[in-house]
Amino acid sequence: EDQVTQSPEALRLQEGESSSLNCSYTVSGLRGLFWYRQDPGKGPEFLFTLYSAGEEKEKERLKATLTKKESFLHITAPKPEDSATYLCAVQVRGNEKLTFGTGTRLTIIP
Amino acid sequence: GAGVSQSPSNKVTEKGKDVELRCDPISGHTALYWYRQSLGQGLEFLIYFQGNSAPDKSGLPSDRFSAERTGGSVSTLTIQRTQQEDSAVYLCASSLWGGETQYFGPGTRLLVL
């Protein structure tokens, strides 16, 4: 069974304090790994797709990386507006559905 | 351009009643997905449409749940004889083709009393 585990469950950082969120996965043939951001009361907002080990993608203060077993979402010098729940999901070959982790709730304190 | 839209935004119903949730995908997207997000749990896949066909219904939790898609566009998720455990946020997503990046709507918050 495909599994996705995110850690930590919650993370509080001071504004400007860089850190990383982890997404570990066990799947039978990865097609893609997806990162989404979800604000309270809203639907997930797409951030990145990673397809193969060694791939990296960046957007503003966020950088996502992928290995054969896990992905990291690095956040550099975060701002309060980066506060949200960050969701990781995997898609396996031959299957269109996404399997999600339970998310990391990130709070940036001014 | 317009994103995925869902209606209603919120729905409160009584146990045993039927509810219909609607999803309008991004124009031109052939694939449509329904997920459910319960308090404290991750997003849970329900059903996938490619065009008007549903090749994967494996996530529907019981035969009280059904969905259809017409004209390759709008989809309706129907829950019959609602139970309190059906209370959740129901999210719809669409993608250009199956396997492509999925874009989510704002969700419908369902509360069954």
Side-chain angles (χ1 to χ4, degrees):
Chain A
E1 183 182 340
D2 302 324
Q3 287 192 329
V4 181
T5 303
Q6 291 188 247
S7 62
E9 289 187 12
L11 181 63
R12 291 171 61 89
L13 299 172
Q14 292 290 330
E15 182 173 0
E17 181 185 1
S18 302
S19 188
S20 296
L21 314 183
N22 178 262
C23 172
S24 299
Y25 61 92
T26 306
V27 299
S28 52
L30 182 72
R31 174 192 261 172
L33 185 140
F34 299 79
W35 282 98
Y36 288 85
R37 167 191 171 130
Q38 187 173 28
D39 292 298
K42 297 190 175 180
E45 175 189 345
F46 171 71
L47 293 173
F48 304 109
T49 309
L50 301 166
Y51 292 104
S52 57
E55 190 175 0
E56 297 184 353
K57 289 197 176 168
E58 286 188 68
K59 179 180 179 181
E60 296 182 354
R61 294 176 294 283
L62 298 176
K63 183 168 88 171
T65 61
L66 182 66
T67 72
K68 288 187 178 179
K69 294 184 179 180
E70 58 191 349
S71 176
F72 291 95
L73 184 65
H74 306 277
I75 182 161
T76 303
K79 299 181 178 182
E81 54 262 42
D82 296 322
S83 297
T85 295
Y86 290 84
L87 299 170
C88 169
V90 297
Q91 190 177 56
V92 300
R93 294 192 203 98
N95 198 323
E96 280 67 35
K97 73 177 185 181
L98 294 178
T99 300
F100 281 85
T102 51
T104 293
R105 188 173 67 255
L106 177 66
T107 304
I108 307 301
I109 304 161
Chain B
V4 177
S5 61
Q6 293 186 244
S7 61
S9 301
N10 295 280
K11 177 72 176 180
V12 181
T13 191
E14 293 179 349
K15 178 181 172 181
K17 295 283 180 68
D18 297 352
V19 295
E20 285 189 352
L21 313 180
R22 176 187 167 107
C23 172
D24 275 280
I26 294 171
S27 178
H29 280 196
T30 65
L32 185 146
Y33 314 77
W34 285 97
Y35 293 84
R36 178 169 73 175
Q37 187 171 33
S38 305
L39 199 61
Q41 296 188 6
L43 275 82
E44 171 191 20
F45 168 79
L46 297 177
I47 187 168
Y48 155 62
F49 286 93
Q50 181 59 51
N52 292 335
S53 302
D56 188 352
K57 305 179 183 179
S58 62
L60 294 179
S62 75
D63 58 8
R64 296 186 296 104
F65 288 72
S66 64
E68 65 175 13
R69 190 179 184 195
T70 55
S73 182
V74 172
S75 176
T76 303
L77 177 69
T78 301
I79 309 173
Q80 295 180 310
R81 304 181 302 283
T82 53
Q83 304 294 311
Q84 289 182 331
E85 61 262 29
D86 299 334
S87 296
V89 177
Y90 289 83
L91 290 157
C92 175
S94 71
S95 65
L96 195 57
W97 298 99
E100 297 290 321
T101 297
Q102 297 178 26
Y103 297 91
F104 284 82
T108 293
R109 284 147 194 81
L110 175 66
L111 178 62
V112 182
L113 300 176

